[in-house]
């Protein structure tokens, strides 16, 4: 057997080489099936285009809008209260009450952004809104006027804020 005959045997008549060199699908598939090298079918996954934030805010219910209104109110009241001069004898206490109300207002406004991710957002949102109005509102009222007539509602508002946070767990 000469070199040319050996080359022909290896390239064309050898049972393994001949199956891989022929481009026929049946022979090639037979070898691939026999060796277990056939790739598994690829599942296609469609990636949805990203949704704009303004559409997500619209689809999450009223919570983002409430957070926006509450944040705007917190900034307005914060600016007003920080520039207000407290001239009476308990001005230091009124300033402290205002700062507490402002801090709680901002923190709980940010909590509204996470509200749609809870299981029962209406329960948590109702308590959080009630808490902001009753707790922060009565503190603002006392800090701006010095009148304690609504301060009985402040602990109820604080309890509503606690229930709002716990409602996000449900």
């Amino acid at each position: 057997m000469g070199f040319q005959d050996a080359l022909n045997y290896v390239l064309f008549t050898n049972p393994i080489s001949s199956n891989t060199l022929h481009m026929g699908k049946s022979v090639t598939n037979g070898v691939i099936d026999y060796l277990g090298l056939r790739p598994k079918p690829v599942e296609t996954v469609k990636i949805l285009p990203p949704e704009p934030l303004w559409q997500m805010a619209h689809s999450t219910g009223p919570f983002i809008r409430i957070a926006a209104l509450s944040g705007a109110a917190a900034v307005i009241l914060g600016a007003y209260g920080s520039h207000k001069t407290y001239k009476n004898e308990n001005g230091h206490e009124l300033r402290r009450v205002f700062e507490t109300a402002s801090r709680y207002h901002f923190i709980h406004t940010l909590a509204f952004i996470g509200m749609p991710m809870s299981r029962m957002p209406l329960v948590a949102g109702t308590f959080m809104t009630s808490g902001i109005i009753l707790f922060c509102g009565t503190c603002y009222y006392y800090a701006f006027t010095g009148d304690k007539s609504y301060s009985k509602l402040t602990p109820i508002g604080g309890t509503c804020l606690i229930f709002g946070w716990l409602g996000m767990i449900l």
Side-chain angles (χ1 to χ4, degrees), residues 86-117:
Y86 299 97
K87 295 182 181 176
N88 28 345
E89 64 279 349
N90 58 355
H92 184 68
E93 178 190 353
L94 295 176
R95 169 74 69 174
R96 186 183 55 80
V97 169
F98 164 76
E99 289 173 355
T100 301
S102 181
R103 184 176 343 108
Y104 274 67
H105 193 170
F106 273 111
I107 290 169
H108 291 89
T109 295
L110 291 175
F112 266 102
I113 296 172
M115 203 70 61
M117 292 184 281

Side-chain angles (χ1 to χ4, degrees), residues 43-51:
E43 293 182 23
T44 57
V45 177
K46 289 185 179 181
I47 298 176
L48 299 174
E51 189 174 0

